Amino acid sequence: MSLHCQKSAKGDKVNTHKFKADIHQDREDSEAMAIEPPFFEKYKAILQSSANEKEKPSTVEGFDELEIPLIDLSHLNLGQLERQECIEKMGQAAIEWGFFQIVNHGVPDELLNRLKQEQIKVFQQPFDKKSESNFLNLSVQSYRWGNPLATSLRNLSWSEALHISLKDISKMDEYNKLRSTIEEYAENANFLAQRLAEYLAQNLGIKANYFQENCSPSSSSLRMNRYPPCPYPSMMFGIIPHTDTDFLTIVSQDQVGGLQLKRNGRWVSVKPNPKALVVNIGDFYQALSNGVYKSITHRVIANQETERYSAAYFYCPTYETVIESCSKPSLYKKFSFKEYREQIQKDVKATGDKVGLSRFLL
């Protein structure tokens, strides 16, 4: 074989390796794309319209980084003075911030880590499978992504979620590890949420058994969120600004960050604390407290490079429960969870967004 031929053969060999490497990379890229919701296809018109604008104003305004109140629940097990101080601190945070973090909350780290791992497994499945109507044998639209009513980048959410009503857990495969993990976490979260709700009620004079009577273990829900890397993080949200339709929300988040709340007209970034859960007041507790506790608007900003995971436990009453302010004169007319949910659905259909408690002002 001539030297020229040897060089050609060697060159061909190198090219073959490169070709195989390219194929392997293409396969990995294809598999990665297969799990992602089709954001670009669904919102093509919105994205093109934004790209064609000569000046593209930033949707995500500037924000501050502040520490929200941190409450150590272990103080509830100390003397009477420390216990009362802890409860009062919790109530003050609900009044001034509508948000607080809790440590020594009783939910095992091992369980939180297991929930995160099961959550990752769910979202790493192909989009075609996740979007099936009977995915995991759950109710239709338990898996959701984006915002089907989005008309602009301002109301587009770059995220996907699995929203599970706890009464639906029994529909899941009993041997599914996700089901057993959710059942265990829901039991822990429900116990914690009821305790927090009752402690907060002490500052308002609400009867001690109010939440036991009106919130059953199956009336709450768990929402597991995944926020994929977003190509336009300054122009859209991971989740658009909103308030929560519940009494309390308990959030477990990873260390990527992105959760923000609105305080005194400015957005405040909640710095992740690996030992803490985040608690926020929902619309129903604001109405029940007659406006004393605040259901604060919050959002999640998008991240260009890193995916983010979180899990939110929504502590809710039964659909028939009537929410009525605990003091007079009432700021809000009384309403049931069912009436509130129906009003939200009407507003979202008409305006693309939730209006919330202001619909029920007297």
Side-chain angles (χ1 to χ4, degrees):
M1 183 183 290
S2 68
L3 181 61
H4 174 73
C5 289
Q6 287 177 347
K7 286 182 178 179
S8 296
K10 185 177 180 181
D12 288 342
K13 188 175 182 180
V14 170
N15 288 337
T16 300
H17 283 318
K18 183 177 186 301
F19 180 65
K20 289 180 178 178
D22 288 344
I23 291 176
H24 181 70
Q25 184 62 51
D26 288 345
R27 186 182 296 119
E28 287 186 343
D29 291 344
S30 177
E31 289 173 353
M33 288 298 293
I35 73 169
E36 300 293 356
F39 291 109
F40 290 102
E41 295 175 24
K42 177 71 173 180
Y43 302 115
K44 183 178 180 179
I46 295 175
L47 293 169
Q48 285 182 341
S49 174
S50 175
N52 292 335
E53 293 176 5
K54 293 181 179 179
E55 295 183 6
K56 295 182 286 187
S58 175
T59 292
V60 182
E61 309 96 321
F63 55 88
D64 300 321
E65 282 196 328
L66 296 176
E67 293 289 339
I68 65 173
L70 180 66
I71 297 171
D72 187 345
L73 296 189
S74 68
H75 290 190
L76 294 168
N77 301 319
L78 301 178
Q80 183 59 35
L81 180 60
E82 291 87 350
R83 176 186 174 88
Q84 191 57 38
E85 285 179 349
C86 183
I87 293 173
E88 290 177 0
K89 185 177 179 181
M90 205 183 303
Q92 201 60 35
I95 293 170
E96 296 181 0
W97 288 81
F99 271 77
F100 52 92
Q101 298 181 95
I102 53 174
V103 292
N104 294 314
H105 41 68
V107 181
D109 288 342
E110 181 277 330
L111 175 57
L112 292 170
N113 291 333
R114 186 160 24 106
L115 180 66
K116 167 79 177 295
Q117 293 308 311
E118 290 303 311
Q119 185 176 350
I120 291 174
K121 290 179 186 177
V122 167
F123 287 118
Q124 292 301 313
Q125 295 186 54
F127 172 76
D128 288 346
K129 183 174 182 179
K130 291 183 288 190
S131 56
E132 291 175 352
S133 59
N134 64 339
F135 181 53
L136 299 175
N137 289 330
L138 295 170
S139 298
V140 176
Q141 295 183 337
S142 291
Y143 173 75
R144 53 192 72 171
W145 61 279
N147 178 1
L149 299 176
T151 57
S152 68
L153 293 180
R154 184 168 290 275
N155 54 19
L156 194 163
S157 292
W158 199 272
S159 58
E160 58 179 338
L162 188 65
H163 193 103
I164 304 173
S165 173
L166 297 190
K167 67 178 182 294
D168 280 353
I169 296 178
S170 60
K171 298 177 183 178
M172 299 174 70
D173 181 353
E174 63 181 314
Y175 300 108
N176 188 314
K177 190 175 179 181
L178 174 65
R179 170 177 168 172
S180 62
T181 302
I182 289 176
E183 286 177 329
E184 186 179 350
Y185 178 73
E187 183 178 352
N188 279 264
N190 187 75
F191 177 74
L192 175 60
Q194 182 175 309
R195 286 178 64 210
L196 294 174
E198 290 173 348
Y199 290 135
L200 288 166
Q202 291 182 24
N203 297 312
L204 302 170
I206 297 171
K207 62 181 183 179
N209 62 346
Y210 176 88
F211 295 98
Q212 288 184 12
E213 290 180 352
N214 293 294
C215 301
S216 72
S218 62
S219 63
S220 297
S221 60
L222 175 67
R223 180 183 175 110
M224 299 188 296
N225 303 296
R226 174 180 176 262
Y227 303 88
C230 174
Y232 312 108
S234 66
M235 300 176 63
M236 63 183 70
F237 303 105
I239 288 185
I240 60 176
H242 65 283
T243 59
D244 289 348
T245 305
D246 61 0
F247 281 119
L248 292 173
T249 306
I250 298 175
V251 178
S252 170
Q253 60 173 338
D254 62 21
Q255 299 307 297
V256 175
L259 175 62
Q260 298 183 340
L261 60 98
K262 203 158 197 179
R263 176 173 166 80
N264 299 327
R266 291 282 297 174
W267 286 103
V268 175
S269 185
V270 178
K271 184 178 180 181
N273 181 332
K275 296 295 184 182
L277 295 174
V278 177
V279 179
N280 65 276
I281 301 297
D283 295 346
F284 296 158
Y285 222 139
Q286 177 168 323
L288 179 65
S289 70
N290 205 23
V292 174
Y293 295 157
K294 303 298 189 296
S295 179
I296 299 297
T297 301
H298 52 285
R299 69 185 186 186
V300 174
I301 58 172
N303 188 298
Q304 189 168 13
E305 299 178 351
T306 309
E307 66 180 357
R308 175 182 183 267
Y309 288 91
S310 69
Y313 182 84
F314 300 102
Y315 186 57
C316 299
T318 62
Y319 259 36
E320 297 73 29
T321 297
V322 174
I323 314 296
E324 187 172 5
S325 297
C326 67
S327 60
K328 305 297 180 183
S330 298
L331 294 175
Y332 307 98
K333 57 185 176 183
K334 61 183 180 181
F335 56 85
S336 67
F337 185 2
K338 182 174 183 291
E339 291 170 332
Y340 196 81
R341 176 62 65 83
E342 289 173 349
Q343 183 62 57
I344 289 175
Q345 292 171 345
K346 290 178 184 176
D347 289 333
V348 169
K349 187 174 182 180
T351 70
D353 204 355
K354 166 186 170 181
V355 176
L357 273 179
S358 60
R359 286 290 192 201
F360 295 86
L361 283 169
L362 287 171

